[in-house]
Amino acid sequence: MRSFTDIKDLSKSDIEAILFRTKQEKKVIAEKSSLDIEKILLGKTVALIFEKPSTRTRVSFEVGISQLGGYSSVLQASDIQLSRGESISDTAKVLSRYVDLIIVRCFEHQMMIDLAKNSSVPVINGLTDQSHPCQVMADILTIEENKGSLSNQNILWIGDGNNVSRSWVEASSIYDFQITLCTPKELSLPIKFIENSIANGANIKIDYQPESAINNKDVIITDTWSSMGDNSINKENSLKPYQVNRELIKKARKDAVFMHCLPAHRGKEVTNEVIDSNQSIVFAGAENRLHVQRSIIWWCLKND
Ligand code: CP
Ligand code: NVA
């Protein structure tokens, strides 16, 4: 039994095992149906705790759990005793006696870690203020499907230095690709974190100028300028030059693909003409959340 907490806690072979199973199952579903995949959750229940809204994470997990033969119990944090001060550790111990797996989306990263520490069943990180590992697993799959391989790709992260970008930087210490971080200087991920990642083998470039940063890139990734729970004001003015629009994306490679974890704020971080263009693989990425998460559940529950 193991929890899926962060990309940095995985080895390359863990990621490869998850992606290998995902591709196999996706093929079975495409050629036959989801009824033909292994029902690894038969007789099992999964609790999903949400402190923040969600469309993709909630629905893709619920559908994936049902495809695996399991049952989902969705718990809005405001509806359970957590909201009245019950501790994370007591919540973890009690839920562990009812369910076989817990998925959590929360504000404080430490809450997810504490839940995992105190649970006797695996915990999956469905987004915290610091990371979004399920998203990056789906993104890696989507890049492999569209570009053949993640290795040697020149990836651009443009916009806010947020939770999704942190998980991408963690992936860059494991995989052999180059990532350029293009954020306003004051919205960069902490420099210490970037330096540590470089010391761990990541190939990271920093370029605060969108026009030069996007030059020759294969994959362009952005996200909302204001993440859930981020109450900072006046970010929009500094982020305006970082909008991914037709003029900017022209400077990337001709065959560059555009990615966004969604939800998108059209007209802010990305324009309609980019997100709806042939270069955009955002909806394929959203679908891959469903496929990759079934295999993340498998990885958490499998006996080695
Ligand atoms: N990308 C993503 O996690 O979307 P939701 O917030 O809708 O779950
Ligand atoms: N960075 C965004 C991702 C949403 C899926 C947020 O945290 O709101």
Side-chain angles (χ1 to χ4, degrees):
M1 185 208 90
R2 44 177 104 64
S3 288
F4 180 86
T5 44
D6 270 312
I7 296 286
K8 69 171 165 42
D9 304 328
L10 303 169
S11 66
K12 193 170 183 183
S13 60
D14 290 327
I15 299 180
E16 283 174 348
I18 292 169
L19 295 179
F20 181 75
R21 187 178 175 93
T22 309
K23 288 172 191 166
Q24 281 186 323
E25 263 189 4
K26 218 180 147 176
K27 202 160 172 262
V28 171
I29 292 175
E31 287 171 2
K32 297 184 186 168
S33 96
S34 61
L35 295 174
D36 294 283
I37 63 176
E38 201 186 342
K39 305 296 170 205
I40 59 166
L41 287 182
L42 214 55
K44 296 191 192 301
T45 299
V46 180
L48 298 98
I49 304 176
F50 287 95
E51 276 195 333
K52 298 175 173 178
S54 170
T55 299
R56 280 142 288 269
T57 304
R58 176 177 171 169
V59 179
S60 58
F61 266 118
E62 280 197 86
V63 171
I65 289 162
S66 144
Q67 290 173 335
L68 296 174
Y71 178 79
S72 303
S73 174
V74 177
L75 307 166
Q76 295 302 330
S78 56
D79 290 345
I80 58 175
Q81 299 287 12
L82 257 183
S83 65
R84 293 182 60 249
E86 184 166 17
S87 70
I88 291 296
S89 60
D90 288 353
T91 305
K93 285 173 193 150
V94 172
L95 287 181
S96 296
R97 287 173 180 251
Y98 300 143
V99 304
D100 302 279
L101 186 79
I102 302 171
I103 295 160
V104 64
R105 165 168 287 196
C106 56
F107 290 93
E108 278 183 34
H109 193 74
Q110 192 58 40
M111 171 176 163
M112 181 276 299
I113 301 286
D114 290 344
L115 195 67
K117 263 195 202 142
N118 288 284
S119 294
S120 55
V121 299
V123 169
I124 296 178
N125 175 356
L127 180 146
T128 71
D129 282 353
Q130 273 191 38
S131 62
H132 199 0
C134 290
Q135 182 66 49
V136 168
M137 290 295 295
D139 288 351
I140 294 174
L141 173 66
T142 312
I143 292 173
E144 288 189 350
E145 287 175 342
N146 282 274
K147 291 281 186 189
S149 144
L150 179 60
S151 291
N152 300 322
Q153 299 295 332
N154 272 315
I155 297 181
L156 173 67
W157 176 272
I158 182 165
D160 190 24
N162 66 7
N163 45 5
V164 181
S165 66
R166 183 182 281 265
S167 291
W168 261 111
V169 168
E170 290 181 9
S172 73
S173 294
I174 300 172
Y175 271 84
D176 191 15
F177 61 86
Q178 184 187 92
I179 186 160
T180 299
L181 301 174
C182 179
T183 66
K185 198 170 183 178
E186 67 279 15
L187 298 176
S188 163
L189 286 167
I191 294 300
K192 195 90 211 128
F193 166 68
I194 297 174
E195 283 171 357
N196 286 342
S197 304
I198 293 172
N200 278 333
N203 184 355
I204 303 174
K205 302 269 173 284
I206 298 179
D207 185 342
Y208 299 119
Q209 304 304 325
E211 284 76 16
S212 51
I214 202 166
N215 189 36
N216 231 15
K217 295 297 179 292
D218 303 295
V219 180
I220 316 300
I221 314 176
T222 193
D223 188 10
T224 178
W225 290 343
S226 186
S227 286
M228 293 178 278
D230 174 1
N231 300 319
S232 13
I233 46 168
N234 291 337
K235 277 171 86 177
E236 203 167 312
N237 276 345
S238 26
L239 279 160
K240 265 185 193 149
Y242 296 76
Q243 180 188 69
V244 185
N245 52 41
R246 189 153 51 191
E247 277 315 297
L248 187 67
I249 209 164
K250 265 189 207 157
K251 298 187 169 70
R253 284 178 59 100
K254 283 222 161 10
D255 59 354
V257 290
F258 172 75
M259 303 182 83
H260 188 310
C261 65
L262 303 174
H265 300 76
R266 289 164 175 260
K268 300 252 172 122
E269 72 271 8
V270 62
T271 56
N272 286 336
E273 63 205 12
V274 170
I275 197 168
D276 296 329
S277 72
N278 291 338
Q279 282 178 281
S280 168
I281 53 172
V282 299
F283 297 108
E287 178 183 333
N288 278 335
R289 291 289 303 279
L290 166 65
H291 301 299
V292 87
Q293 286 163 189
R294 282 193 312 267
S295 300
I296 292 173
I297 292 172
W298 162 80
W299 179 82
C300 287
L301 296 174
K302 81 184 166 86
N303 295 317
D304 278 336

